[in-house]
Every structure is written in structure tokens, then in C-alpha cells.
Amino acid sequence: MPEIAIDLTPETPEDWPVIDKLHERAFGPGRFARTAFRLREGVPPDPRLSFVARIGSMIVGSIRLTPIHIAEHSALLLGPLTVEPAFRSRGIGLALMQASLSASIKAGHRLVVLVGDEPYYGRIGFKRITPGRVVLPGPVDPLRLLVKELTEGAFEGISGAARGG
């Protein structure tokens, strides 16, 4: 596959209509009922940690990180992460995650959780959360609830209900 020049930039309000369409194509109307969406509901993503991938002027990928709490502990929720189907399997999703996680570390965050596939997200250090340790506001497959410590030991002793904000 030939190399593609990808430009990663922080998300801006001007990007939102395009990102919304990208999410609509990738996840369909059922996305609003998903537990991760319910956790993000009413809480905007952190613009310093949310990025878009562009090829020229076209947005081909997006990642958002949203502040949440697990019990009284601050964390971030990764997602949605999406890449236009024609540009998948070219490292764009990985590049978006690396940009967001690096920005999160620089901003002093310690912990990121997500609902996703461990084989994919495990490549950058996400690990499965023990079932029942973190409770989300809706049903979720416990095998898909993952965590990444941005600082060693950040998840020690943390458990409880997750909520937005």
C-alpha cells in the first residue's frame, strides 16, 4: 500500500458537521442507544485531546476523548474513534490514538477507558477490566471494557460506577 500523507490536527467546531456525518456512516442511528454514548451524553469531548485526520482538506478520521469519573476518580473515555472505510487498515486509527494519548499525558491525565475490541486496542496498551470493577450506565459486554494507565499504577484501587463529567 502506498504511503498517504496524513495531517493530524485538533478537532475544531468547524469540523463537527463532517465528524457527525462520519459517525453516522460508521455507527448508524443505533449509536445513540449505546452505553458509551450514554456515558458521554451532555459532556462535550475535550477539544485539546480530540483530533481529526485529514488527507488534503478531507477529514478521513476522528477520535474524541471525553472526561468521565469512575466513582470519585477522574478518567477519560476514548471514543468514538472512526476512519472512513476507504482509508482503514492504513494506520490512521493508530495515529489518531497516539496523538490523543500523547496529548492526554501532556495535559496530566492518568487514565483512559473505552468499550472496544481488545485485540485492536491492546496493541497500544489497553487491557481488559475485571468484570464488575467498573459499572457503566447501561449494558456492555464485560470483555469489551478496557483501560489504559497513562501513568503506572493509575488504575490501582479504582472501582465503581462511571459517569460523565
Side-chain angles (χ1 to χ4, degrees):
M1 237 179 270
E3 292 282 324
I4 298 175
I6 298 167
D7 188 24
L8 300 179
T9 59
E11 175 183 306
T12 67
E14 292 77 27
D15 299 328
W16 294 348
V18 176
I19 293 169
D20 288 344
K21 290 289 187 192
L22 180 60
H23 292 165
E24 184 179 338
R25 283 191 302 280
F27 303 113
R31 69 190 178 281
F32 300 116
R34 293 183 181 188
T35 297
F37 183 87
R38 291 177 54 199
L39 189 56
R40 290 188 296 268
E41 200 167 37
V43 182
D46 188 325
R48 301 166 303 155
L49 311 177
S50 300
F51 289 81
V52 293
R54 297 178 197 276
I55 297 176
S57 63
M58 182 173 62
I59 292 176
V60 297
S62 167
I63 187 169
R64 288 181 165 164
L65 270 71
T66 303
I68 64 166
H69 283 86
I70 301 169
E72 71 279 358
H73 303 279
S74 296
L76 295 168
L77 178 67
L78 189 153
L81 166 66
T82 187
V83 176
E84 285 284 3
F87 296 97
R88 291 185 183 156
S89 299
R90 296 175 184 242
I92 295 171
L94 183 60
L96 284 164
M97 283 190 288
Q98 290 170 332
S100 284
L101 295 173
S102 292
S104 298
I105 291 167
K106 288 178 186 171
H109 294 282
R110 302 176 36 121
L111 195 62
V112 179
V113 297
L114 66 85
V115 178
D117 296 322
E118 188 177 22
Y120 181 77
Y121 292 100
R123 299 181 301 164
I124 59 167
F126 279 89
K127 297 179 180 166
R128 189 174 299 151
I129 296 174
T130 303
R133 183 170 173 184
V134 174
V135 180
L136 298 183
V140 66
D141 179 347
L143 301 179
R144 294 176 44 84
L145 189 54
L146 309 176
V147 64
K148 178 174 176 60
E149 294 179 322
L150 301 179
T151 58
E152 190 172 332
F155 194 51
E156 282 183 28
I158 295 179
S159 65
R163 64 181 177 8

